[in-house]
Amino acid sequence: MAASQNFRDLQWVLQVIKSGNISLHSISFFLSQPTSGCHQETENSMNVNISKDSILYFSQLLTALATAKDSQESLRNLEFHFVEWEVQQLRNLGMLLENNLNIKQLVFRRNRLNAEGLWELSEILKRNGVIKEIMFSESAIGAAGAGLLASALKVNDSLEELQIWEDSIGSKGAEELSKMIEVNCTLKLLTIFDSNSITATPLISAVLARNRTMEVHIWSGENGEKSSKVVEFVPENSTLRIYRLDISGACRVACALGWNSTVKSLDLTGVRLKSRWAKEFRFVLEQNHSLKEVTLSKTRLKDKGVVYVAAGLFKNQSLETLYLDGNWFTGIGVEHLFCPLSRFSALRYQANVTLKSVTFGGGRTKIGRDGLAAILQMLTTNQTVTRLGIQDDESLRQEDFVKIFRSLERNATLRHLSLQGCKGVGGELVLQTIMQTLQVNPWIEDIDLSRTPLQNSGKTDGIYQKLGQNGRTEPEIDLLKDMPLTVPKSCRVFFCGQEYAGKTTLCNSISQNLSYSKLPYMDQVRTLVNPVEQAVRTAGMKVKTFKDEDTKISIWNLAGQHEFYSLHDLMFPGHGSPSFFLIVSSLFRKPTNRESKTSAEIEEDLQYWLRFIASNSRRAAQQCMLPNVTVVLTHYDKINQPSQEFQAAVNSIQRLRDKFQGFVDFYPTVFTVDARSSASVSKLTHHLRKTSKTILQRVPRVFELCNDLIQILSDWRSENYNKPAMKWKEFDELCQVKVPSLRIRSRHDNKDKVVMRRRAIANCLHHIGEVIYFNELGFLILDCEWFCGEVLGQLIRLDARKQSTTENGFISRKELEKILRGSLQSQIPGMGSKVFENLDASDLVRMMLKLELCYEQDPSDPNSLLLIPSILEEGRGRTQRWQLIAPDCVYAGRHLHCDDSSHLFLTPGFFPRLQVHLHNRIMGLKIHGATYSLEKYLILININGIHVRIELGGQLGHYIDILACSTKNLTETLRLFQQLIIPAIQGLCHGITLHESIIRPESVRNLIPPRYRKAQFVPVQVLKQALLSVPAEGMYDYQHTWCSVSDSGRPILQAGFDFARDLLSDDDFREVLHRRYHDLYNLAVELQVSPEANPDGLDNPATGMEEQDKVEATFGGIAKGVEAVLQRLKIIEQEIRDLKQEIQGLRYYEHRLLLELHRKVNYLVNYNVQVEERKVPNMFYFVTTENYSRRLVTNIIPGMAALRLHMLCEFRREMHVVEDQVGCEMMQIDNSTVKSLAPYMKKFMTLVTFALKIGAHLAAGMGQMIPDLSREVAHLVEPSLMYGAAGAVAAGAVGAAAVSQVAGSSSRNRSRTLGGESSRDFQQHQRAAQQWIVDFLRDRRCSTGREIAEKFGLWRVRYRDSGQIAWICRRHINTRSHEIIEVPI
């Protein structure tokens, strides 16, 4: 009865599945159960129990599930428990899986599969493409089953999870699965629980070797032990954790990690490792680029193993964190571990720059003396490690930790320090040292002192409090403000002179003249060996230093050889530098003979150096005093008795003193010495000492800090093998440790501001000559003699032209480094042998690039050739021709010359700097196709079809010629000059003014030699002024004529002319036009009437026409109508398209204005006919005689004497100066004269000056009496009326508007005149001036017509048409007789 019930239950399940009345997601089959039946756990899940008697139903149920449509759509999971599979049942399962494409999970728990069944299951998996997860639990599949599963999964591309629990697949099965992993890329999770941990090795190795993103969990429980995890890999966080593995397995895993890119964190804590594994792991570190963190804690690694790990760190560029605590190595291991993290000289780089955190230590780690030294070296030199942990150490003592903390004073990168459990961290000395370190080093954020004696004793509170203070933001303060100033203590003396002048001998004698007891011992040694050094060193600049009480005097012996001249600019003292100059000149041409120099030769020698000093002092901005210069004449001992030639030399020096007054401070005494004799130079030595002290008192004071740093830098050199240079980082560290006022006090301080203060101090040290420092150099040169004499001297004296790697000044970087490397090595054994170890030749190349002593041909190429201008060949003997020859080429040239070439010049270092600077600017613009080539005194540039030659000229380089042959128009060519080339030139000659002239285009076309161009250029401003002096209609066709050039009768260039428009660019020509507009506007303002006076003037122009002749008696009698003409001129300006149109508008404007000007002046001549019936002329002026020339007086003041009064010819519209006029002399100007004439003088002279500036023929002949019109206008015209060129057009429009309104003026307009003066006041001033001239002429007995004609060449006439009286010259009487009638008095 019971069996029947069970059968129904299974039958019911079968019917339900066939009918589809239930939607099942999950079915679990339990076989070998005591009874059969089913149990529905949820709406969608069912457990089916099948007893051994009902086993046939199992196949029927599988078949039903395979054929039922509803189950095919809903079924997801199948579980089989206690099933002993037969082949037919597996085939039914296979049919079910083939028909149902939604089943994702298969679970086999305690199943039994024979070999045939495993094969059938593997075939099913090969065909299936939907199952995602399979789990075998206690199913005893063994190695054979693992192999069959592996073969199936090699083909299957859908399965993502494979789990094998409580089974022993053995090493063979693991190997088969590992082969599957190498092929299968879809499996995401692999979980193995095996009885033997050996199965983990091949599996995880395959995962790592193939870079599979597969999550792996492998467990084992050997010999009945509690199960534990062996390996764990989680791709989500890229962490590989190995818990238990034998040494061979660990080595295999290490091999797999070599090219792995999925593991970022490797944890081997507690795994017992040996040096064999470490050897494999070394190659992992060298090859792997993804590992970021490695934990090797408690792995029992010894010294050999750590050595292998350290070796791998040399090439590793990815690892950031390394834990080695709890191992068994000693100081040897520590020494090797920190070797790749340390630098052992300034030339060596830190091998590993990626490792940020290192932790080691433990009870069995014996650091020892060697390990401590390695730790100190690492902390002192490392620039990347931010975390360091030394944990549970028992080997280091208190004094060892004191050394560690003191080394941290120079470390600016470490942020976290852990000393957990270290027994030596205790005691008062350690506590004080920690506090001192934190005072100097604000960058340490955390110090972990847990379980140390210091914390156990409760003494760490102050440490943590200081750490908190270092983390606070300090208030902004200016550390340099209010710092005490003091007189500098070091002075430089520059010995200047030609070669063979005896500078070096003189320098040695001065040194020997001092007491050796005042010199430090090492300086005495250097003085003694100096002659030996000179025997083997190349000549160059030398620096010798000695002490005079508390004053340090440095003698800088500038090399006299011409090849060194280009470097002298670099050594010239800057603003405020305590220094002076000794110009040394020999009285003989060569020391080996008695052929004395002429006075002219001595003067030439001295003049070069005086001009050099004057020119460079102009470059050094804001000189607080003139350069102090003393002249020394050597080889005086060879002169038996003073000769006339010697006296002539003394006189020439006196002339130079007078000539350079205001440029240098010339010491009045000239020293004549025998440079070899200490006695002979004793007075000079005394002068040198005295002058040094005087200079130090006169120059600006320096910070006391600079004097302190001089000693600090000296001590630093002593401690660092006498290094000649220090990197900026080393200077930063020195300031942080030794100079509290330049210290960063908090890690949140504004570091840039502190660095700025440090740079200010470095610049100050540079100015006083203690170091050589430039902002972008990255170095401080501490040994100036070494840098100037050895390094720069080697560059200047390079014999590179003979080397195959050098062409036209270019040299390969490697060759240059080789030459420099040779210069760094002293040729005397034991002397300076440490220099090469502390500075590399590549550093010097970078320094040269920063100083623009050389440049890269192609900055984008790291192996680019380098150009050194000092080794360029001179090409003046070659035939010069333009590469571009075409009939439509434009030729243009500009000549730039020093404004005072007798005192100043472009120093020898200027042109090489220009060659480098201009190249860098052009390359920086990245102009496609631009080329740049050089010769010694020539720059050749080709930019966008414009070929440019820049030539240095003059005996001492006082001018530069810029020549161009261009396919572009003149304006584009000259814009290249004005926007690129000329600014680059002017930017390098600070303090020296260069005047620009235009070179004749024909001389540019033919490239005639510079000696023939001397008369073939015209100053730009002269040409512009000439254009301003001609009427507007003549401006466009104005011609500048050139004289001819010949050589010994042979013609070089014919005389000719060029239009001004072909010499000036459109921009320059428009500037001239705008200046003309500006001048016309100012003249119009002088004539303007205030528009408020006639509100009806615009509405009634006819009335104005009727009253045109009724002009008010003022200089400003102009009509209204400003707005109308202003609008007309604006329209004209909008229509301008080229220079001709612009000139046409200007001519219209100028014509209207000049008509009004002449009419007003004509009326002025005839004003107030009733004043004695015009018995004397009205238009008078005063001149003064200067150097046989007459100068117009535009303003008079009481006390002026020796003036002459002259009269103008008053003929209407042609008023002019009468030639050969005698005039009347005035002995002195008194107050009454000034009162009568001052208003007249101001107004009339203003009109005359403006008329001359615009080229009007008012008072013709006066222009030559006004040499500087611009200066006269500046004091005659109100400042508010002066406009720049940009506003000149608009200003001109306003003036023209005022002129054009002359017809609209009425009597109501006449109430105001220029400057707001009333017409009544003006009439009074005019009457006073006219009455004064009547009285003056009467007093001089010149009141009759005959007397006036004799003195002034003027005759009284009446115009036939108007009846007005005028005084005119004889020429007008003859030529205009039909217009006038003589009316003699």
Side-chain angles (χ1 to χ4, degrees):
M1 190 69 181
S4 176
Q5 182 63 39
N6 288 341
F7 177 77
R8 283 199 302 272
D9 288 343
L10 294 178
Q11 186 67 30
W12 175 80
V13 173
L14 191 60
Q15 292 296 328
V16 167
I17 292 174
K18 290 181 179 180
S19 64
N21 293 330
I22 186 171
S23 177
L24 293 175
H25 292 174
S26 176
I27 298 180
S28 299
F29 292 96
F30 293 83
L31 272 68
S32 302
Q33 297 299 307
T35 59
S36 299
C38 71
H39 173 67
Q40 189 168 355
E41 292 183 339
T42 65
E43 182 180 356
N44 303 113
S45 63
M46 177 182 294
N47 292 341
V48 178
N49 297 329
I50 302 176
S51 64
K52 291 183 180 180
D53 298 336
S54 307
I55 192 67
L56 295 177
Y57 276 95
F58 180 52
S59 296
Q60 295 178 16
L61 288 171
L62 292 176
T63 303
L65 289 171
T67 56
K69 292 185 179 179
D70 292 337
S71 66
Q72 292 176 6
E73 296 176 357
S74 60
L75 193 59
R76 301 287 186 271
N77 304 322
L78 289 176
E79 290 191 16
F80 301 98
H81 300 259
F82 307 105
V83 178
E84 296 181 2
W85 290 92
E86 297 178 358
V87 175
Q88 185 59 43
Q89 294 171 343
L90 286 170
R91 290 173 178 168
N92 293 335
L93 176 61
M95 183 176 62
L96 169 60
L97 296 176
E98 289 178 3
N99 294 337
N100 193 316
L101 301 179
N102 295 314
I103 297 177
K104 304 299 181 184
Q105 183 183 42
L106 286 179
V107 179
F108 299 92
R109 297 183 186 275
R110 296 186 180 184
N111 285 229
R112 291 295 180 267
L113 291 161
N114 55 24
E116 191 177 357
L118 289 171
W119 181 85
E120 188 66 37
L121 181 60
S122 69
E123 292 297 317
I124 293 173
L125 293 177
K126 288 179 181 178
R127 298 191 300 268
N128 189 275
V130 295
I131 295 178
K132 300 295 183 183
E133 178 183 350
I134 294 181
M135 185 179 74
F136 295 92
S137 178
E138 301 179 63
S139 297
I141 61 174
L148 290 171
L149 284 176
S151 64
L153 295 182
K154 289 179 181 179
V155 179
N156 184 285
D157 58 358
S158 64
L159 192 68
E160 296 180 356
E161 297 183 14
L162 174 62
Q163 301 183 47
I164 302 176
W165 290 89
E166 300 291 341
D167 204 340
S168 179
I169 62 175
S171 59
K172 185 178 179 181
E175 292 291 347
E176 294 295 329
L177 287 177
S178 69
K179 294 177 183 178
M180 175 272 296
I181 293 172
E182 293 179 0
V183 178
N184 188 296
C185 60
T186 57
L187 201 61
K188 301 300 181 186
L189 174 64
L190 176 63
T191 303
I192 305 289
F193 192 131
D194 201 284
S195 60
N196 195 335
S197 62
I198 197 173
T199 57
T201 300
L203 295 175
I204 192 63
S205 298
V207 171
L208 298 177
R210 290 296 180 176
N211 288 313
R212 302 302 186 202
T213 56
M214 180 190 304
E215 185 175 347
V216 179
H217 300 274
I218 300 178
W219 300 70
S220 73
E222 296 178 305
N223 302 323
E225 295 179 359
K226 186 177 180 180
S227 61
S228 61
K229 184 171 281 190
V230 179
V231 173
E232 175 185 80
F233 175 55
V234 181
E236 291 180 358
N237 54 20
S238 303
T239 300
L240 174 61
R241 178 75 170 89
I242 298 177
Y243 297 90
R244 271 189 310 125
L245 215 58
D246 59 16
I247 189 63
S248 61
C251 290
R252 183 172 176 179
V253 172
C255 292
L257 281 171
W259 299 104
N260 178 270
S261 61
T262 59
V263 178
K264 293 183 179 179
S265 176
L266 173 63
D267 189 350
L268 289 166
T269 300
V271 178
R272 191 168 182 175
L273 300 174
K274 295 183 179 180
S275 60
R276 192 176 73 170
W277 175 87
K279 185 177 182 180
E280 296 292 340
F281 191 65
R282 168 190 175 176
F283 297 107
V284 174
L285 292 175
E286 292 178 350
Q287 298 169 355
N288 189 286
H289 299 290
S290 61
L291 268 178
K292 301 295 183 184
E293 179 180 341
V294 173
T295 303
L296 302 177
S297 302
K298 301 177 183 178
T299 56
R300 301 186 184 183
L301 279 176
K302 297 182 181 179
D303 286 334
K304 189 175 182 180
V306 175
V307 168
Y308 280 125
V309 173
L313 292 177
F314 275 96
K315 293 185 178 180
N316 183 275
Q317 297 298 322
S318 63
L319 191 65
E320 297 178 358
T321 304
L322 177 63
Y323 292 94
L324 283 170
D325 52 301
N327 286 286
W328 296 1
F329 53 90
T330 65
I332 297 175
V334 176
E335 187 176 6
H336 283 80
L337 176 64
F338 287 123
C339 186
L341 303 176
S342 306
R343 287 184 300 114
F344 297 94
S345 77
L347 302 183
R348 297 182 181 178
Y349 293 102
Q350 182 180 312
N352 186 297
V353 295
T354 56
L355 192 61
K356 308 295 182 186
S357 174
V358 180
T359 302
F360 67 102
R364 302 191 65 170
T365 300
K366 307 299 181 182
I367 295 177
R369 182 182 301 175
D370 294 336
L372 176 63
I375 295 172
L376 298 179
Q377 182 72 22
M378 188 275 292
L379 291 176
T380 304
T381 62
N382 183 275
Q383 301 177 14
T384 56
V385 173
T386 59
R387 290 178 179 269
L388 176 64
I390 305 176
Q391 298 182 355
D392 299 308
D393 177 77
E394 299 177 3
S395 62
L396 295 178
R397 297 167 298 177
Q398 290 186 8
E399 52 267 30
D400 297 331
F401 282 103
V402 168
K403 294 178 180 178
I404 289 175
F405 278 103
R406 285 180 179 167
S407 68
L408 285 174
E409 292 180 354
R410 298 177 180 272
N411 188 299
T413 56
L414 195 70
R415 298 293 182 266
H416 304 273
L417 176 64
S418 175
L419 299 175
Q420 291 184 30
C422 293
K423 303 299 183 184
V425 183
E428 197 65 29
L429 181 60
V430 174
L431 177 61
Q432 292 177 3
T433 306
I434 295 175
M435 295 301 293
Q436 292 172 2
T437 300
L438 294 179
Q439 190 72 26
V440 173
N441 188 331
W443 295 284
I444 298 177
E445 299 176 8
D446 177 53
I447 299 179
D448 187 354
L449 299 175
S450 57
R451 298 185 289 109
T452 61
L454 204 61
Q455 187 181 50
N456 295 338
S457 60
K459 297 181 179 180
T460 57
D461 293 342
I463 296 174
Y464 295 125
Q465 183 179 0
K466 181 60 180 174
L467 285 170
Q469 292 175 356
N470 287 352
R472 296 174 187 170
T473 302
E474 295 289 333
E476 291 285 341
I477 57 173
D478 188 351
L479 295 181
L480 292 181
K481 188 178 182 181
D482 300 328
M483 287 181 63
L485 300 174
T486 187
V487 174
K489 294 183 179 180
S490 59
C491 182
R492 283 185 289 178
V493 186
F494 290 90
F495 278 28
C496 309
Q498 309 296 334
E499 54 186 340
Y500 304 119
K503 299 186 298 299
T504 302
T505 306
L506 181 63
C507 181
N508 292 333
S509 297
I510 290 175
S511 298
Q512 293 168 9
N513 207 27
L514 298 170
S515 173
Y516 279 113
S517 61
K518 295 182 179 181
L519 284 149
Y521 173 75
M522 281 308 298
D523 287 346
Q524 295 181 38
V525 173
R526 290 182 190 132
T527 304
L528 291 173
V529 303
N530 188 55
V532 181
E533 289 182 337
Q534 286 184 344
V536 295
R537 287 183 178 177
T538 57
M541 288 177 278
K542 306 291 183 183
V543 181
K544 186 177 290 294
T545 302
F546 57 87
K547 296 282 286 186
D548 178 32
E549 297 176 352
D550 61 341
T551 302
K552 178 181 177 182
I553 302 177
S554 300
I555 298 178
W556 290 55
N557 183 357
L558 300 182
Q561 295 88 347
H562 285 276
E563 60 263 29
F564 285 93
Y565 282 10
S566 61
L567 296 179
H568 290 164
D569 291 352
L570 190 63
M571 301 299 108
F572 196 87
H575 163 59
S577 175
S579 59
F580 62 100
F581 299 86
L582 260 66
I583 303 180
V584 184
S585 180
S586 174
L587 292 169
F588 294 84
R589 290 176 180 169
K590 287 189 178 181
T592 56
N593 57 39
R594 291 183 175 271
E595 187 179 355
S596 62
K597 288 182 180 178
T598 64
S599 60
E601 289 175 325
I602 294 176
E603 183 176 356
E604 183 181 354
D605 289 350
L606 298 180
Q607 186 165 240
Y608 168 81
W609 290 105
L610 288 170
R611 293 175 70 186
F612 167 78
I613 295 169
S615 300
N616 270 302
S617 64
R618 292 293 184 92
R619 289 179 56 229
Q622 302 177 356
Q623 285 291 311
C624 58
M625 62 182 186
L626 294 176
N628 189 290
V629 174
T630 300
V631 173
V632 179
L633 299 178
T634 59
H635 300 115
Y636 184 69
D637 57 296
K638 295 182 180 181
I639 297 180
N640 297 326
Q641 59 183 2
S643 61
Q644 292 182 352
E645 192 64 38
F646 178 76
Q647 186 60 41
V650 174
N651 294 337
S652 67
I653 294 175
Q654 180 61 45
R655 289 195 300 271
L656 288 176
R657 181 185 295 114
D658 297 337
K659 177 180 179 180
F660 283 88
Q661 186 177 6
F663 290 87
V664 299
D665 184 2
F666 218 121
Y667 189 69
T669 300
V670 177
F671 290 90
T672 54
V673 300
D674 174 8
R676 300 170 298 175
S677 170
S678 297
S680 179
V681 301
S682 59
K683 291 184 179 180
L684 179 60
T685 304
H686 176 73
H687 166 72
L688 188 145
R689 288 176 170 176
K690 183 179 178 181
T691 305
S692 296
K693 295 184 182 296
T694 303
I695 294 291
L696 291 174
Q697 293 296 327
R698 292 172 61 187
V699 298
R701 296 190 174 192
V702 298
F703 297 113
E704 282 185 1
L705 188 58
C706 291
N707 291 334
D708 297 338
L709 266 172
I710 293 173
Q711 185 60 44
I712 292 173
L713 290 173
S714 178
D715 295 341
W716 183 88
R717 285 197 68 190
S718 301
E719 296 168 0
N720 290 273
Y721 308 104
N722 208 28
K723 288 175 64 174
M726 71 186 308
K727 293 185 177 181
W728 180 255
K729 180 180 181 299
E730 294 172 320
F731 184 74
D732 268 341
E733 293 175 356
L734 195 64
C735 292
Q736 186 69 26
V737 176
K738 300 291 186 180
V739 190
S741 57
L742 294 179
R743 184 177 291 163
I744 297 176
R745 303 176 182 275
S746 166
R747 57 180 171 271
H748 296 297
D749 272 359
N750 190 332
K751 189 176 179 181
D752 292 338
K753 286 195 173 183
V754 178
V755 171
M756 180 183 68
R757 298 177 193 122
R758 292 173 180 174
R759 292 190 185 279
I761 295 296
N763 278 317
C764 186
L765 291 172
H766 172 84
H767 287 317
I768 64 177
E770 287 299 326
V771 301
I772 296 176
Y773 169 71
F774 301 93
N775 282 337
E776 297 183 356
L777 190 60
F779 285 87
L780 276 81
I781 305 299
L782 305 181
D783 190 339
C784 299
E785 179 180 5
W786 167 81
F787 184 70
C788 299
E790 295 297 329
V791 179
L792 299 184
Q794 282 291 336
L795 293 178
I796 293 301
R797 300 179 68 88
L798 283 178
D799 195 13
R801 298 188 185 100
K802 297 181 181 179
Q803 302 180 30
S804 59
T805 55
T806 304
E807 182 180 353
N808 195 25
F810 286 94
I811 185 171
S812 69
R813 186 184 293 263
K814 290 184 178 180
E815 190 68 29
L816 179 58
E817 291 180 2
K818 179 181 177 181
I819 296 172
L820 291 174
R821 199 173 288 113
S823 74
L824 295 175
Q825 294 172 329
S826 175
Q827 299 177 3
I828 300 178
M831 295 291 296
S833 59
K834 296 289 184 180
V835 172
F836 181 68
E837 297 181 8
N838 294 288
L839 197 63
D840 190 33
S842 60
D843 294 330
L844 284 177
V845 173
R846 290 196 297 271
M847 291 160 63
M848 291 171 59
L849 289 170
K850 291 290 185 183
L851 295 174
E852 293 192 340
L853 296 176
C854 68
Y855 70 76
E856 297 172 301
Q857 187 181 35
D858 181 5
S860 62
D861 182 8
N863 298 318
S864 171
L865 293 176
L866 301 174
L867 173 69
I868 305 174
S870 59
I871 63 176
L872 285 170
E873 296 182 0
E874 188 172 355
R876 287 184 172 174
R878 303 172 186 170
T879 303
Q880 305 293 335
R881 62 167 62 94
W882 290 109
Q883 295 180 357
L884 181 67
I885 301 177
D888 57 345
C889 282
V890 172
Y891 296 91
R894 289 294 184 266
H895 174 85
L896 305 178
H897 63 278
C898 297
D899 63 338
D900 188 2
S901 58
S902 63
H903 297 96
L904 307 173
F905 69 136
L906 300 173
T907 57
F910 167 80
F911 202 70
R913 288 200 311 274
L914 176 63
Q915 290 174 319
V916 176
H917 181 69
L918 197 55
H919 169 271
N920 293 339
R921 288 196 62 175
I922 292 175
M923 294 300 107
L925 295 175
K926 298 180 179 179
I927 302 175
H928 179 70
T931 61
Y932 190 89
S933 58
L934 300 177
E935 293 178 10
K936 195 170 187 66
Y937 301 109
L938 178 66
I939 302 173
L940 300 173
I941 306 171
N942 179 11
I943 299 179
N944 296 331
I946 303 175
H947 294 255
V948 181
R949 295 172 58 94
I950 304 173
E951 301 177 357
L952 177 67
Q955 184 178 3
L956 291 175
H958 62 266
Y959 72 83
I960 288 180
D961 284 345
I962 310 171
L963 315 176
C965 172
S966 173
T967 58
K968 308 293 182 181
N969 59 42
L970 179 65
T971 298
E972 291 186 50
T973 304
L974 293 180
R975 279 176 183 167
L976 178 66
F977 287 12
Q978 299 296 335
Q979 296 175 8
L980 178 64
I981 298 173
I982 294 179
I985 295 172
Q986 293 175 336
L988 291 178
C989 55
H990 305 291
I992 298 178
T993 303
L994 297 177
H995 291 303
E996 181 181 350
S997 299
I998 300 171
I999 301 176
R1000 181 179 179 180
E1002 188 65 23
S1003 64
V1004 177
R1005 176 196 297 270
N1006 298 326
L1007 284 180
I1008 65 173
R1011 63 182 180 274
Y1012 299 131
R1013 295 189 212 133
K1014 293 180 180 179
Q1016 299 296 301
F1017 57 81
V1018 56
V1020 174
Q1021 294 304 322
V1022 170
L1023 183 61
K1024 290 181 178 180
Q1025 195 63 43
L1027 282 174
L1028 289 171
S1029 67
V1030 300
E1033 61 268 14
M1035 294 179 72
Y1036 190 77
D1037 294 323
Y1038 179 82
Q1039 299 172 355
H1040 179 80
T1041 58
W1042 306 101
C1043 63
S1044 61
V1045 179
S1046 61
D1047 184 8
S1048 302
R1050 179 174 60 90
I1052 303 298
L1053 278 180
Q1054 300 293 334
F1057 69 89
D1058 283 296
F1059 289 108
R1061 63 177 184 266
D1062 295 331
L1063 299 175
L1064 296 172
S1065 67
D1066 290 351
D1067 301 331
D1068 289 333
F1069 211 101
R1070 282 194 169 87
E1071 180 189 343
V1072 174
L1073 297 181
H1074 294 168
R1075 287 172 60 183
R1076 174 62 66 90
Y1077 275 126
H1078 175 56
D1079 295 336
L1080 291 175
Y1081 167 74
N1082 286 329
L1083 180 58
V1085 170
E1086 291 295 319
L1087 301 172
Q1088 184 176 340
V1089 175
S1090 177
E1092 288 82 357
N1094 181 19
D1096 303 325
L1098 290 175
D1099 300 326
N1100 193 8
T1103 304
M1105 291 296 292
E1106 293 172 1
E1107 298 179 356
Q1108 183 172 359
D1109 294 332
K1110 299 177 182 179
V1111 183
E1112 184 185 358
T1114 67
F1115 288 103
I1118 270 188
K1120 281 203 60 176
V1122 175
E1123 295 299 329
V1125 179
L1126 179 61
Q1127 293 299 324
R1128 224 166 37 244
L1129 273 181
K1130 285 184 178 180
I1131 294 172
I1132 290 175
E1133 292 173 23
Q1134 291 172 0
E1135 293 175 351
I1136 288 176
R1137 291 297 180 267
D1138 56 23
L1139 289 177
K1140 278 191 173 181
Q1141 290 179 346
E1142 193 163 349
I1143 291 174
Q1144 290 297 328
L1146 181 63
R1147 288 176 61 188
Y1148 159 77
Y1149 173 20
E1150 183 177 293
H1151 176 69
R1152 298 297 301 274
L1153 185 57
L1154 293 184
L1155 285 178
E1156 179 62 14
L1157 175 65
H1158 285 298
R1159 190 174 65 81
K1160 293 305 175 187
V1161 174
N1162 185 53
Y1163 172 78
L1164 186 64
V1165 172
N1166 294 281
Y1167 167 71
N1168 205 350
V1169 179
Q1170 289 75 24
V1171 178
E1172 300 201 17
E1173 298 181 358
R1174 290 284 278 117
K1175 291 183 178 181
V1176 296
N1178 273 356
M1179 311 307 291
F1180 60 90
Y1181 63 95
F1182 296 98
V1183 299
T1184 180
T1185 303
E1186 295 179 0
N1187 298 327
Y1188 305 102
S1189 63
R1190 296 188 302 168
R1191 180 177 176 83
L1192 181 68
V1193 177
T1194 58
N1195 194 17
I1196 58 174
I1197 57 175
M1200 295 179 69
L1203 304 183
R1204 296 194 70 83
L1205 180 137
H1206 290 269
M1207 301 286 189
L1208 294 172
C1209 171
E1210 299 174 353
F1211 194 86
R1212 54 190 177 188
R1213 291 184 298 278
E1214 296 182 17
M1215 186 168 59
H1216 65 91
V1217 173
V1218 180
E1219 296 180 3
D1220 302 324
Q1221 190 181 81
V1222 178
C1224 288
E1225 184 175 1
M1226 290 189 64
M1227 298 305 296
Q1228 191 169 6
I1229 299 293
D1230 56 18
N1231 288 328
S1232 62
T1233 301
V1234 172
K1235 184 176 181 181
S1236 301
L1237 299 183
Y1240 166 86
M1241 292 287 292
K1242 179 180 179 182
K1243 295 178 175 59
F1244 178 63
M1245 287 303 128
T1246 300
L1247 287 182
V1248 168
T1249 305
F1250 278 133
L1252 291 171
K1253 283 177 68 66
I1254 66 172
H1257 294 289
L1258 170 67
M1262 272 193 178
Q1264 60 186 356
M1265 293 187 287
I1266 308 180
D1268 189 356
L1269 291 176
S1270 61
R1271 187 177 64 188
E1272 299 301 330
V1273 174
H1275 87 266
L1276 288 171
V1277 184
E1278 294 295 330
S1280 60
L1281 301 179
M1282 303 301 290
Y1283 294 88
V1289 175
V1294 175
V1299 175
S1300 62
Q1301 286 292 345
V1302 64
S1305 177
S1306 68
S1307 61
R1308 286 177 294 179
N1309 282 22
R1310 303 173 191 152
S1311 62
R1312 307 296 291 177
T1313 63
L1314 175 66
E1317 182 185 21
S1318 68
S1319 60
R1320 180 179 300 175
D1321 292 338
F1322 178 78
Q1323 291 170 9
Q1324 292 177 356
H1325 294 157
Q1326 188 73 2
R1327 290 194 188 99
Q1330 291 176 337
Q1331 189 61 50
W1332 180 89
I1333 193 64
V1334 170
D1335 295 341
F1336 175 78
L1337 293 177
R1338 183 183 297 117
D1339 293 342
R1340 294 297 187 276
R1341 297 180 180 179
C1342 185
S1343 56
T1344 66
R1346 182 178 60 82
E1347 293 169 340
I1348 292 175
E1350 289 177 355
K1351 287 187 176 292
F1352 298 104
L1354 300 176
W1355 284 262
R1356 187 169 181 262
V1357 299
R1358 184 187 303 278
Y1359 293 111
R1360 295 177 184 272
D1361 53 357
S1362 63
Q1364 294 176 336
I1365 300 294
W1367 288 82
I1368 66 175
C1369 64
R1370 176 58 64 186
R1371 178 172 63 84
H1372 277 117
I1373 290 176
N1374 295 332
T1375 59
R1376 303 298 181 96
S1377 58
H1378 61 284
E1379 298 181 30
I1380 59 172
I1381 303 172
E1382 288 194 47
V1383 284
I1385 299 175

